[in-house]
Amino acid sequence: VTMASLEAEHSTLPEAMEEEDDPLFSNLDLFLFTLIIGLIVYWFMSRKKAEPIPEFKKLDQPMPMTRETSFIEKMKKTGRNIVVFYGSQTGTAEEFANRLSKDAQRYGMKGMAADPEEYDMCELSRLSEIDNSLAIFCMATYGEGDPTDNAQDFYDWLQEHDGELDGVNYTVFALGNKTYEHYNAMGVYVDKRLEELGAKRVFDLGMGDDDGNLEEDFVTWREQFWPAMCEHFGVEASGEDSSIRQYELKEHNDINMNKVYTGELGRLKSFDIQKPPFDSKNPFLAPVTVNQPREPWLCLRNESNKKHPFPCPTTYRTALTHYLDIMHPPRTNVLYELAQYATDIKDQENMRKMASSSPEGKALYQSFVLEDHRNILAILEDIPSLRPPIDHLCELLPRLQARYYSIASSSKVHPNSIHVCAVLVEYTTRTGRLTKGVATNWLKNKVAGDNGHKSIVPMYIRKSQFRLPFKASNPVIMIGPGTGIAPFIGFVQERGWLKEQGKEVGETVLYFGCRHKNEDYLYQEELEEAEKKGVITQLNVAFSRDQEQKVYVQHLLRANKEDLWRQIHKDNAHIYICGDARNMARDVQTAFYEIIEELGGVTRAQATDYIKKLMTKGRYSQDVWS
C-alpha cells in the first residue's frame, strides 16, 4: 500500500473522523500483531505429531520370478529343451501349443508352452545354450494378415531385430483361413524371418486351414513332425501311449466362500469391485438397458508348466458354465485321452481311430464328430461305456473364449451405451439334437433392467482399424449384407451427427442385402429415415429371395459401376466391407476388379494391384468372418 493511496483513503473519511484522536495502533502495528498471532496458531497446530514420510526401500525379495521374463532360465531349471510359443486370438493356437508341449514327453523330450507376450523374446538367441533345444511357433493370423494381440510385440521385435539367431532350431505351424486374402500371413512371415536371422528350420512350415479341416491339418503335420525330430536329435520315442496328466485334483468341502471363483476371469471378486483398465481378463460389467429378441469345491493344481486351465478354487458347475467350452466338438487329442475310460474295447478302438491320422480315422472323425456336430455331452451320451473322471475332463476341455461383435452404434450419438447386432444361432443336428449358440442365446435371455434388477454382461472394447475416414468430406461406400450392417449403423449415425454439427460430409453410400424384405431387413426404419434426411445419399438393397432371379449386393455394385468408379477414382472414396468372408467378400472384390478393369481400361492384374494399393492407403477395409 503506497502512502499516496493511504492519503487518498484518509481524505475520504467523514469529517468527524478527522476530529478524533490519533488511533492507538498504526497500520504497521496491526500488521505485525496479525503476523504474530498467525505464527502462534501455526505453532500450536504443528505440535500435532507429524505423519512419517514413507521411505520406499527396495524390498529384500528373492530373485524375480524368471517365468515372467526369461523362458531360457525356466527351461534350464525345469530340464526342458522344447519351447512352444503361440500367437492366439481365439485359443486354438494356444491349444495346439499345449498339445505339442505335452507330446514331447512321449518322444523322450520335455516341452513347455509359452505366451510370447509374457517373455523377453530377445532371449531367443540364447536357446542354443540348451542341448537339443527347439523352438516351435504356432502362429495364427488375425484380421488383414496381422499378428494376434499377444504376438504383436514379438512381431515388432522380429521386424526391428537385426541380431543373429545362429544355433537356434525352429519350426512353425501356421493357423489361418483360405477365404481370407492374407492366408497364414503371420506364420509365413515368422518362418521366413527366423531363417533370415540365422535360425535353422528343422521341419517344414505347417499350413492349417480353418476353412477346411484345421484339426486334420494339424494332426497330419504333427504326426510327421515328431518322428523327424526324433531322427534329428537322435532320440527314440518312449512308445508310451498312456495319458499324461498335467493337473492334480484337490476337492475342498469346507472353504471360505470369499476365496471361491464364481466366473471371474482374472482377479478374484473383480465382478464385485470393478477397477479399470478393462480388458479380456478384467471385463466391465455393462448393464443391459434394451434387449430385443451345493457341490464340492474344485481346484486343479498345476503339475506341469502349463497355466491353470481356469481360476481356482471354484465349483464344477462354475467351471463348466463360465470357463470351459462344452459346446464345441472335441478335438482328436481329447478323444485320444478319454478313450482309456471306455470300458467297451470296441469304443476304445473307435475313439483312438478317430484320433489317428489314418484315412479311416479322419473319415470317422469327420462324420461322427464334425458333420454330426457332437459336443462332449453328445459324445458321452452316444458312447455309454465312456465314463471319464470329471477332473480329467476339465483338464482336457478348451477354455471358453470371448465372442467379438461389431459395435452397431456411434459413441458421438450414444456416448453411454454400446449396441450390438447378432444372429441367434439355433439348429438341429443330424442326430436330432437341438444346438444353440452359446453367446447369442445367453444374450437373448438377458432382460433389460427393470424394478431395480440389472442384467449384467461382462464386456470390453478392442481397438479397431475399421473406422470412418479422418476427412468427413470423403465419400464412403459401405457394403454389409445381413448382420454385416452392424458397424455401418454406427457409421451412418456418426455421419448424421457430423452434418448436424455443420460439417461438410461426403457421399454416404450403403449396400445392404438379405433374403426377404419382410423378414430380414435389419434396421429398415432407421436406414430409410437416414435416407430421407439425406444422411444416406444412396441406399441400395438386394433381397435375394423375393424374386425368381437371385439378386445380391455384388449385382447392385455392377449396376452402379459408373457412380462407383467416379467415387473411388476421382473423389477418393473409402470402401468398407463387412460380413461373410467365404462368399460375399470374395464376390464383392471380384465385382470391383471387373468395374476397375472395364471403366479404368486396365488388365485384371492391374485392377488387382489397384485394390491392393487402396488397401495399403486404408481406403479398402474389411471386417469379415467365415
Side-chain angles (χ1 to χ4, degrees), residues 514-545:
C514 61
R515 291 191 173 190
H516 303 286
K517 180 177 180 178
N518 295 331
E519 297 176 18
D520 313 309
Y521 194 172
L522 303 174
Y523 297 99
Q524 179 179 357
E525 291 181 6
E526 185 170 341
L527 293 175
E528 291 177 350
E529 182 64 22
E531 185 183 29
K532 284 180 185 177
K533 291 181 176 179
V535 177
I536 296 178
T537 50
Q538 290 181 46
L539 177 58
N540 307 282
V541 186
F543 304 111
S544 61
R545 303 294 198 278

Side-chain angles (χ1 to χ4, degrees), residues 431-564:
T431 62
R433 292 182 171 91
L434 178 64
T435 298
K436 295 183 177 182
V438 176
T440 52
N441 279 272
W442 181 76
L443 286 170
K444 182 192 75 168
N445 295 322
K446 288 288 181 182
V447 180
D450 190 22
N451 297 325
H453 173 73
K454 288 184 178 179
S455 290
I456 299 297
V457 175
M459 54 81 70
Y460 67 100
I461 299 173
R462 287 171 58 192
K463 291 182 180 178
S464 172
Q465 298 303 316
F466 201 77
R467 59 185 67 178
L468 284 167
F470 179 75
K471 279 187 172 183
S473 57
N474 285 115
V476 295
I477 300 165
M478 304 170 289
I479 303 152
T483 54
I485 188 69
F488 302 137
I489 295 300
F491 282 16
V492 169
Q493 289 177 0
E494 187 140 337
R495 302 279 274 193
W497 180 85
L498 288 168
K499 283 176 74 74
E500 289 175 359
Q501 304 305 307
K503 299 289 178 65
E504 181 188 351
V505 178
E507 292 180 80
T508 303
V509 182
L510 176 64
Y511 289 84
F512 173 72
C514 61
R515 291 191 173 190
H516 303 286
K517 180 177 180 178
N518 295 331
E519 297 176 18
D520 313 309
Y521 194 172
L522 303 174
Y523 297 99
Q524 179 179 357
E525 291 181 6
E526 185 170 341
L527 293 175
E528 291 177 350
E529 182 64 22
E531 185 183 29
K532 284 180 185 177
K533 291 181 176 179
V535 177
I536 296 178
T537 50
Q538 290 181 46
L539 177 58
N540 307 282
V541 186
F543 304 111
S544 61
R545 303 294 198 278
D546 279 354
Q547 61 283 315
E548 187 176 345
Q549 186 83 18
K550 291 181 181 177
V551 178
Y552 298 108
V553 288
Q554 58 266 29
H555 298 132
L556 301 184
L557 291 173
R558 292 187 180 96
N560 296 332
K561 58 187 177 182
E562 286 83 7
D563 268 349
L564 283 169

Side-chain angles (χ1 to χ4, degrees), residues 251-313:
E251 288 190 350
H252 303 272
N253 292 310
D254 183 17
I255 192 171
N256 186 341
M257 275 296 295
N258 291 324
K259 296 181 180 179
V260 176
Y261 283 87
T262 57
E264 301 93 333
L265 300 174
R267 178 173 55 86
L268 184 64
K269 300 302 176 186
S270 61
F271 287 174
D272 296 331
I273 303 173
Q274 292 263 276
K275 295 179 182 178
F278 301 108
D279 54 26
S280 59
K281 299 289 178 63
N282 182 37
F284 175 72
L285 298 184
V288 177
T289 56
V290 178
N291 192 352
Q292 295 173 319
R294 184 163 161 142
E295 294 179 82
W297 311 116
L298 162 70
C299 183
L300 290 182
R301 294 191 302 180
N302 198 346
E303 292 296 309
S304 71
N305 139 86
K306 186 185 172 187
K307 295 176 184 177
H308 291 297
F310 44 78
C312 290

Side-chain angles (χ1 to χ4, degrees), residues 28-306:
L28 180 60
D29 293 332
L30 290 172
F31 172 77
L32 291 173
F33 180 76
T34 304
L35 178 62
I36 291 168
I37 293 297
L39 289 171
I40 292 170
V41 171
Y42 176 79
W43 181 76
F44 272 105
M45 294 292 291
S46 64
R47 289 189 67 191
K48 293 172 63 178
K49 187 175 180 180
E51 294 185 12
I53 299 174
E55 181 181 357
F56 294 96
K57 295 181 179 179
K58 189 173 182 180
L59 296 176
D60 294 328
Q61 291 180 338
M63 291 295 290
M65 295 177 67
T66 53
R67 61 184 294 232
E68 295 180 357
T69 57
S70 176
F71 65 89
I72 295 294
E73 295 305 319
K74 182 172 182 177
M75 290 175 72
K76 288 180 177 180
K77 288 179 182 178
T78 56
R80 302 177 193 279
N81 64 319
I82 293 178
V83 57
V84 192
F85 293 105
Y86 57 85
S88 185
Q89 198 71 37
T90 62
T92 306
E94 180 179 1
E95 181 187 337
F96 285 179
N98 285 317
R99 287 165 67 176
L100 288 169
S101 66
K102 190 174 178 180
D103 281 343
Q105 189 170 332
R106 291 195 177 96
Y107 293 90
M109 295 171 268
K110 291 187 73 176
M112 62 174 270
D115 184 342
E117 192 173 37
E118 296 181 357
Y119 293 100
D120 182 0
M121 295 305 291
C122 293
E123 291 204 332
L124 194 58
S125 59
R126 293 182 54 202
L127 191 60
S128 57
E129 296 174 11
I130 300 173
D131 292 337
N132 287 345
S133 58
L134 170 67
I136 306 173
F137 295 86
C138 292
M139 308 305 295
T141 299
Y142 175 68
E144 298 297 302
D146 302 318
T148 57
D149 292 345
N150 77 309
Q152 183 64 56
D153 290 343
F154 174 51
Y155 175 75
D156 294 340
W157 177 81
L158 284 175
Q159 288 189 309
E160 298 164 4
H161 186 63
D162 56 3
E164 293 295 328
L165 295 181
D166 293 338
V168 175
N169 298 312
Y170 80 93
T171 188
V172 178
F173 183 81
L175 296 83
N177 189 307
K178 277 186 177 175
T179 59
Y180 293 82
E181 181 178 356
H182 304 281
Y183 172 55
N184 276 333
M186 182 60 181
V188 171
Y189 173 77
V190 170
D191 181 65
K192 179 184 176 184
R193 184 61 178 151
L194 289 173
E195 184 181 43
E196 291 173 350
L197 293 174
K200 181 182 179 182
R201 183 189 299 107
V202 294
F203 193 71
D204 292 338
L205 168 69
M207 299 285 273
D209 178 19
D210 198 32
D211 188 48
N213 189 326
L214 184 59
E215 174 72 10
E216 183 177 314
D217 294 337
F218 175 69
V219 169
T220 301
W221 179 86
R222 167 177 164 253
E223 293 204 354
Q224 296 171 0
F225 164 72
W226 282 116
M229 290 305 95
C230 289
E231 183 178 350
H232 178 82
F233 291 118
V235 297
E236 292 185 7
S238 63
E240 184 181 341
D241 288 333
S242 62
S243 174
I244 300 172
R245 294 298 303 273
Q246 293 181 288
Y247 299 95
E248 176 192 19
L249 171 69
K250 183 178 180 182
E251 288 190 350
H252 303 272
N253 292 310
D254 183 17
I255 192 171
N256 186 341
M257 275 296 295
N258 291 324
K259 296 181 180 179
V260 176
Y261 283 87
T262 57
E264 301 93 333
L265 300 174
R267 178 173 55 86
L268 184 64
K269 300 302 176 186
S270 61
F271 287 174
D272 296 331
I273 303 173
Q274 292 263 276
K275 295 179 182 178
F278 301 108
D279 54 26
S280 59
K281 299 289 178 63
N282 182 37
F284 175 72
L285 298 184
V288 177
T289 56
V290 178
N291 192 352
Q292 295 173 319
R294 184 163 161 142
E295 294 179 82
W297 311 116
L298 162 70
C299 183
L300 290 182
R301 294 191 302 180
N302 198 346
E303 292 296 309
S304 71
N305 139 86
K306 186 185 172 187

